[in-house]
C-alpha cells in the first residue's frame, strides 16, 4: 500500500515543554494514514518526526526551542567514560546484585521524552477520529484493487514469514553481535528442520561453548581459529593496546551463578505481533508507573487509549524485503526483561538506513540502573548488528537535539554524531555546529552560502493527490480547483516533503 497523508498545516502559539513558554511553539503537521519505510526515512531526513500517527516538523526559525534532527554514527562510536560506567554498573548488578549508591552527576537524563506534541494527546485523539483510516481505506482499496490481486500470493507468503520471524525479532532485539548469537529463520511448515543448519542446543551448552572460545582466545595456538569466526568490523576480543568495543562492555561474561538475568526482546508493535499482544498489559503498567513517577502525570492521564495512540499505533507498514534485516522494517518495542518481568521498553522504528529511537519508558524502581543511557547504548549496538546483514542500515537517529534546553543537550554526548541543516538538509558534524548554536538558537549549518535544498520540489504538477476515490497528479487535480488557498496549501506541503516524497506519497484531499 502507498503512503497516504493528510496535510494539517501549521500549528503555532502552543505550550513548549522545554522552556515552559505558553505560546512559543510552532510546527507543521500531517496525519499519516500509512507510510512506507522509505518515505518515512526520507521525511526524517528533511526534519520530520512522528508521534503515533501524527507527523510533525518544527518551524525552525519561529519556534522558541529549535529542534535539530540528530543522528549518531554507530560504526565509529566509542563509549565515553560515563557510558562505560553505566555499562559496568549493569554488569555488576546482574552478576552480584550490587546497587550503586547515588546518581552520577555527569549522566544524561534518563527520559527521551522530546515529542513536540507529547503533552497534547487531545490533538492526537481528535485527529485520529477526524482522519479515521477505515473511512479512507475502502476508497483507496478500489484504486489499488488490481495491484492487490497481483500481489495476493506474495502477501500470503509474507504473512507466513512474519509469523515465523517473531523468534528472530526477539533474538535480534538484544543487539548482540551475530557471531555470538546465530539467528536463523524457522523452516516453512511441512518442510521440516533445515538440515543445512546445526541442531538446536541448550542454553547451558552455548554458555560452555562461549567459555571454551574465550579460553582459546587467550591461547596463542587457538588465536587464528577464533579470528576466522569473528567479523573484522567489531572484533569480540580487542588487542591489549586497544579499548574494549561496545559489544565487549555490554556482553561481558557473567558467572554461572549470576544474581540476575537480563533479556532484550524485539517485538513488532504495528501490526501487533502475538508476543506484543501477550505482553501489552504488563508493558502498559510499566508505562503508567513511569509517567506517574518520573513525569508527575495526574493519575487519570496515562490511559490505555493514550498509551496505544502515542506509542503503539504507527503509520509504518510492515515490510520484509529480501535485502533488509531479518526482523523487517517498521515499528517495534524493544522489551528489557529482568528475571522474567519487563522493566523497560524502548520504542523504535527500523528503516532502510537507520534505527530511529521514538521513546523510552521504564520501571522507576530501577532508575539506579540509568536505563535511559543503557538503552541508548543497546540500541547503538543493535544498529551495528543490523548493519552486518543490511550494509546500508548504519545510523542511529536520536530524535531532536535542542541546544537551548540544557536537559536535552545530552544527545550530543553520543559521538560521532551529525545535525541536520534546517535549510539545505545536509548532515554536518556536531562539532562544527556547536559554536554557531552558542551564538544563536536558530542556525544554518551548511557553510556554503550558494548551497540550496537539492531535494526541493521543482515539479509540483507531478505530486500525487488522492481525491474522490481516484489517484491523480496535481497537474490534473488543480484544473478542477477554484479556491486559491488550496493551491497555496498544496505548494507548501510539497516544499516541506520534497520532490521524491511528493511523487510517491498520496496527499489526501477531501
Amino acid at each position: 500500500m502507498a503512503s497516504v497523508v493528510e496535510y494539517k498545516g501549521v500549528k503555532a502559539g502552543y505550550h513548549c515543554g522545554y522552556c515552559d513558554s505558553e505560546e512559543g511553539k510552532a510546527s507543521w503537521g500531517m496525519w499519516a494514514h500509512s507510510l512506507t519505510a522509505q518515505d518515512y526515512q526520507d521525511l526524517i531526513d528533511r526534519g520530520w518526526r512522528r508521534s503515533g500517527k501524527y507527523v510533525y516538523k518544527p518551524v525552525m526559525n519561529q519556534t522558541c526551542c529549535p529542534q535539530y534532527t540528530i543522528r549518531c554514527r554507530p560504526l565509529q562510536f566509542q563509549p565515553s567514560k560515563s557510558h562505560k560506567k553505566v555499562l559496568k554498573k549493569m554488569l555488576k548488578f546482574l552478576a552480584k546484585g550490587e546497587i550503586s549508591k547515588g546518581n552520577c552527576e555527569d549522566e544524561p537524563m534518563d527520559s527521551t521524552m522530546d515529542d513536540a506534541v507529547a503533552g497534547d494527546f487531545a490533538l492526537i485523539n481528535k485527529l485520529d477520529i477526524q482522519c479515521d483510516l477505515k473511512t479512507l481505506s475502502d476508497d483507496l482499496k478500489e484504486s489499488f484493487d488490481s495491484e492487490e490481486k497481483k500481489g495476493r500470493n506474495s502477501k500470503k507468503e509474507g504473512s507466513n514469514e512474519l509469523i515465523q520471524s517473531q523468534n528472530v525479532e526477539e533474538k535480534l532485539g538484544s543487539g548482540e553481535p551475530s557471531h555470538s548469537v546465530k539467528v536463523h529463520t524457522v523452516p516453512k511448515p511441512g518442510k521440516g528442520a533445515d538440515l543445512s543448519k546445526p541442531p538446536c542446543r541448550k542454553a547451558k551448552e552455548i554458555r560452555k561453548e562461549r567459555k571454551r572460545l574465550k579460553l582459546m582466545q587467550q591461547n596463542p595456538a587457538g588465536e587464528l581459529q577464533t579470528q576466522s569466526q569473528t567479523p573484522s568490523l567489531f572484533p569480540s576480543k580487542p588487542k591489549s593496546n586497544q579499548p574494549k568495543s561496545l559489544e565487549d562492555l555490554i556482553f561481558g561474561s557473567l558467572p554461572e551463578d549470576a544474581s540476575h538475568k537480563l533479556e532484550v526482546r524485539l517485538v513488532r508493535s504495528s501490526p501487533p505481533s502475538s508476543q506484543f499482544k501477550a505482553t501489552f498489559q504488563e508493558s502498559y503498567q510499566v508505562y503508567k508507573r513511569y509517567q506517574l513517577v518520573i513525569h508527575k502525570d495526574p493519575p487519570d492521564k496515562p490511559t490505555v487509549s493514550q498509551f496505544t495512540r502515542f506509542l503503539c499505533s504507527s503509520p509504518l507498514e510492515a515490510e520484509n524485503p529480501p535485502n533488509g534485516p531479518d526482523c523487517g522494517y517498521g515499528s517495534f518495542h524493544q522489551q528489557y526483561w529482568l528475571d522474567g518481568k519487563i522493566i523497560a521498553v524502548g520504542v523504535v522504528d527500523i528503516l532502510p538506513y537507520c534505527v530511529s529511537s521514538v521513546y523510552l519508558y521504564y520501571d522507576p524502581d530501577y532508575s539506579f540502573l540509568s536505563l535511559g543511557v543503557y538503552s541508548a547504548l543497546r540500541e547503538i549496538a543493535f544498529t551495528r548488528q543490523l548493519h552486518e546483514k543490511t550494509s546500508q542500515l548504519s545510523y542511529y537517529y536520536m530524535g531532536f537535539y535542542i541546544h537551548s534546553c540544557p536537559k536535552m543537550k545530552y544527545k550530543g554526548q553520543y559521538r560521532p554524531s551529525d545535525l541536520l541543516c534546517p535549510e539545505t538538509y545536509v548532515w554536518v558534524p556536531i562539532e562544527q555546529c556547536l559554536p554557531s548554536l552558542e551564538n544563536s538558537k536558530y542556525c544554518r549549518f551548511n557553510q556554503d552560502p550558494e548551497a540550496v535544498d537539492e531535494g526541493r520540489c521543482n515539479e509540483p504538477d507531478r505530486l500525487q493527490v488522492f481525491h474522490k476515490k481516484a489517484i491523480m497528479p496535481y497537474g490534473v487535480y488543480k484544473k478542477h480547483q477554484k479556491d486559491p488557498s488550496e493551491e497555496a496549501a498544496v505548494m507548501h506541503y510539497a516544499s516541506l516533503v520534497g520532490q521524491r516524497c511528493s511523487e510517491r506519497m498520496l496527499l489526501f484531499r477531501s
Side-chain angles (χ1 to χ4, degrees), residues 157-298:
E157 191 175 328
S159 65
N160 287 336
E161 287 170 6
L162 190 63
I163 294 165
Q164 293 158 15
S165 68
Q166 286 171 348
N167 291 332
V168 175
E169 288 172 14
E170 289 187 11
K171 286 283 186 187
L172 275 172
S174 69
E176 195 166 348
S178 59
H179 59 266
S180 298
V181 175
K182 297 291 182 185
V183 179
H184 301 296
T185 51
V186 179
K188 292 181 180 180
K191 293 194 177 179
D194 188 343
L195 298 176
S196 66
K197 305 293 187 294
C200 294
R201 294 184 297 165
K202 290 183 178 178
K204 192 173 181 181
E205 290 176 22
I206 294 171
R207 283 198 298 272
K208 282 183 180 176
E209 178 69 12
R210 283 185 189 162
K211 210 167 192 178
R212 188 180 67 80
L213 287 173
K214 194 174 180 183
L215 289 170
M216 286 173 67
Q217 284 176 331
Q218 292 166 2
N219 176 10
E223 191 174 340
L224 252 169
Q225 185 182 353
T226 54
Q227 281 182 350
S228 69
Q229 295 170 349
T230 306
S232 58
L233 191 57
F234 309 121
S236 63
K237 186 76 177 174
K239 293 176 185 175
S240 56
N241 62 342
Q242 288 183 342
K244 280 189 174 183
S245 72
L246 177 61
E247 287 74 14
D248 285 310
L249 292 165
I250 292 175
F251 305 107
S253 58
L254 291 171
E256 292 284 336
D257 59 345
S259 298
H260 300 285
K261 181 187 176 185
L262 179 69
E263 192 182 349
V264 182
R265 303 178 190 172
L266 186 75
V267 296
R268 188 179 284 279
S269 54
S270 180
S273 65
S274 57
Q275 292 99 323
F276 178 82
K277 290 176 184 176
T279 57
F280 179 87
Q281 275 302 325
E282 185 176 353
S283 183
Y284 163 66
Q285 290 302 326
V286 174
Y287 167 77
K288 186 176 181 180
R289 287 204 66 219
Y290 174 77
Q291 293 298 127
L292 294 174
V293 177
I294 304 297
H295 286 287
K296 313 296 182 192
D297 279 3

Side-chain angles (χ1 to χ4, degrees), residues 261-263 265 282 286 289 335-344 363 365-366:
K261 181 187 176 185
L262 179 69
E263 192 182 349
R265 303 178 190 172
E282 185 176 353
V286 174
R289 287 204 66 219
Q335 301 173 337
Y336 293 76
W337 289 77
L338 182 70
D339 302 332
K341 72 170 186 175
I342 298 175
I343 63 162
D363 186 334
D365 289 347
Y366 295 90

Side-chain angles (χ1 to χ4, degrees), residues 36-157:
T36 65
Q38 185 60 59
D39 284 340
Y40 187 51
Q41 176 72 65
D42 289 345
L43 286 173
I44 61 174
D45 283 337
R46 292 184 65 83
W48 291 85
R49 184 159 165 78
R50 78 173 184 88
S51 179
K53 290 188 174 184
Y54 184 68
V55 189
Y56 62 93
K57 176 178 164 66
V59 184
M60 296 292 280
N61 57 357
Q62 290 181 30
T63 193
C64 54
C65 297
Q67 298 157 269
Y68 299 92
T69 302
I70 183 170
R71 73 177 187 186
C72 173
R73 284 175 258 150
L75 306 191
Q76 293 84 39
F77 175 79
Q78 283 296 331
S80 66
K81 275 188 179 180
S82 63
H83 294 153
K84 290 176 183 176
K85 194 185 290 185
V86 170
L87 296 174
K88 286 175 184 174
K89 180 167 60 176
M90 176 63 84
L91 284 177
K92 280 183 182 178
F93 172 71
L94 295 175
K96 302 175 184 176
E98 285 184 19
I99 298 175
S100 303
K101 292 179 181 178
N103 291 323
C104 302
E105 288 181 10
D106 59 343
E107 286 178 8
M109 60 176 272
D110 281 329
S111 168
T112 53
M113 180 113 174
D114 61 349
D115 295 84
V117 288
D120 197 353
F121 294 108
L123 171 70
I124 297 178
N125 291 348
K126 183 180 173 186
L127 287 174
D128 204 13
I129 294 164
Q130 288 178 347
C131 309
D132 187 2
L133 183 57
K134 287 177 184 175
T135 59
L136 188 64
S137 61
D138 292 339
D139 296 342
L140 197 57
K141 220 176 215 178
E142 292 176 24
S143 298
F144 284 126
D145 225 15
S146 57
E147 320 296 324
E148 278 189 16
K149 283 176 184 173
K150 289 177 193 173
R152 196 164 287 153
N153 292 333
S154 60
K155 277 188 181 179
K156 281 180 184 174
E157 191 175 328

Side-chain angles (χ1 to χ4, degrees), residues 396-465:
Y396 174 57
Y397 284 45
M398 297 178 280
F400 289 132
Y401 174 81
I402 307 169
H403 192 76
S404 57
C405 178
K407 69 177 183 179
M408 295 305 293
K409 288 166 74 171
Y410 73 91
K411 294 181 182 182
Q413 296 177 17
Y414 296 85
R415 299 197 182 181
S417 56
D418 311 298
L419 297 182
L420 187 67
C421 176
E423 294 181 10
T424 61
Y425 304 114
V426 295
W427 294 98
V428 180
I430 193 169
E431 295 83 359
Q432 296 177 29
C433 305
L434 294 179
S436 301
L437 289 170
E438 287 295 327
N439 296 323
S440 173
K441 283 184 179 181
Y442 173 73
C443 301
R444 170 193 166 109
F445 300 136
N446 193 328
Q447 297 300 306
D448 180 0
E450 303 297 318
V452 295
D453 170 17
E454 296 293 341
R456 66 191 182 280
C457 186
N458 290 320
E459 299 178 82
D461 281 1
R462 293 169 62 90
L463 180 150
Q464 294 297 299
V465 177

